[in-house]
Amino acid sequence: MNIDALAREISAGKPVQSLRMADDHWPELDCQGASFADGVFERVQFSNPILADARFTSCRFVSCRFSHAELAGAHFERCNFTREDTKGCSFAFSNLQRAVFGACDLSLAVFDRSELFAVEMRECNLTGAKFTKADFSRALSRKQIETRASFHACKMDLADLCESRLPGCSLAGSRLREADLSGADLTDADLTDCDLFQAILDGAKLSGADLTGAEVSGLTLTALADFAGLRIGDDQMFRLLDAIGVSVRVRQR
């Protein structure tokens, strides 16, 4: 499809079906609110694209790079951002505030210094994904900052969330085996039913976090920066205390 035909479809509000692009740059078009389905984009450079509130359904992105991309409010459903050799896509200096990813494969994706306030990821594969200086917050005033993000039932094994600020955010039901959460701020976070087996949590803040039902094997409380008010279940208490050398004896009545 040539650029003029693409522009006409977008301006007419028609869904763009089965678009194919390879080894190219995304055209300078205003694609706000545009809809794409079953497209394939290989080695495409999305530099400064206007894709706010755009919707992508069952699209495939192969070795693509989104740089300074305007993706606020964009929706990605059942999209694939990886390829057979496991190289993922990258999002650098991009606006992904309120973006939604549903059932997408984002394994080994890189989110580099991008804005991710209120991002929502549901049942996504984020194995080995890196969140490098990603910002999940927005400033409401000079002194008030709001942080919001949701990762629901995502696969996040080996993901790098080192030093991420996620206070009050939800990772409920997600699998974070061997993920790097060192130095992360998870104050008041919802970690219910998460799998944190061998996750790296050295220096992390878990004060007020809810770990009810989570797999906590390998979690050492003394390695945390803060865990005041941490919420856990009875069965987890024995494992966490045993990990720091405390033997709990239950008195028989």
Side-chain angles (χ1 to χ4, degrees):
M1 179 181 293
N2 62 45
I3 302 304
D4 291 337
L6 177 60
R8 284 195 297 270
E9 287 201 18
I10 292 173
S11 62
K14 296 180 180 179
V16 180
Q17 297 284 343
S18 304
L19 177 63
R20 299 289 191 271
M21 291 186 67
D23 300 302
D24 204 348
H25 286 78
W26 185 255
E28 295 183 8
L29 294 175
D30 185 349
C31 299
Q32 182 169 350
S35 179
F36 303 85
D38 302 307
V40 177
F41 307 92
E42 299 184 60
R43 299 173 300 280
V44 175
Q45 296 290 324
F46 291 86
S47 299
N48 300 289
I50 302 174
L51 291 164
D53 299 314
R55 182 174 294 272
F56 294 84
T57 305
S58 300
C59 291
R60 188 178 179 208
F61 300 86
V62 181
S63 298
C64 293
R65 176 178 171 80
F66 294 82
S67 177
H68 299 276
E70 181 55 64
L71 288 162
H75 278 64
F76 297 88
E77 292 290 336
R78 301 182 304 280
C79 292
N80 191 315
F81 291 84
T82 188
R83 70 181 191 184
E84 289 76 8
D85 64 2
T86 66
K87 183 178 180 180
C89 292
S90 63
F91 299 82
F93 303 97
S94 296
N95 182 3
L96 286 151
Q97 295 188 63
R98 303 180 308 282
V100 176
F101 294 82
C104 292
D105 189 346
L106 287 150
S107 52
L108 293 178
V110 177
F111 298 88
D112 183 13
R113 286 164 283 191
S114 292
E115 300 173 53
L116 292 168
F117 171 76
V119 70
E120 180 183 344
M121 297 192 179
R122 298 178 277 99
E123 300 178 349
C124 291
N125 182 3
L126 287 153
T127 301
K130 293 184 178 181
F131 295 83
T132 307
K133 296 184 179 179
D135 190 355
F136 299 94
S137 305
R138 68 172 179 178
L140 299 178
S141 66
R142 290 175 60 185
K143 296 183 178 180
Q144 187 177 4
I145 296 176
E146 180 183 13
T147 305
R148 195 191 312 166
S150 175
F151 297 87
H152 179 72
C154 291
K155 184 179 180 182
M156 304 177 74
D157 297 350
L158 301 169
D160 186 351
L161 286 156
C162 176
E163 298 185 354
S164 294
R165 294 193 69 260
L166 291 162
C169 296
S170 175
L171 292 91
S174 292
R175 176 170 153 154
L176 291 139
R177 290 194 163 211
E178 300 181 74
D180 188 352
L181 293 159
S182 57
D185 186 352
L186 294 163
T187 303
D188 297 321
D190 183 356
L191 299 169
T192 54
D193 299 317
C194 281
D195 187 345
L196 293 163
F197 178 76
Q198 296 298 325
I200 303 169
L201 285 154
D202 296 356
K205 297 178 181 179
L206 286 173
S207 55
D210 190 348
L211 268 72
T212 306
E215 169 58 65
V216 293
S217 299
L219 173 60
T220 304
L221 294 176
T222 54
L224 299 174
D226 191 357
F227 58 90
L230 180 66
R231 287 173 280 173
I232 56 174
D234 293 343
D235 57 329
Q236 297 166 303
M237 175 183 67
F238 296 105
R239 277 179 282 170
L240 290 175
L241 290 175
D242 183 66
I244 58 175
V246 177
S247 179
V248 180
R249 296 182 180 180
V250 180
R251 179 178 298 178
Q252 298 295 327
R253 294 184 178 179

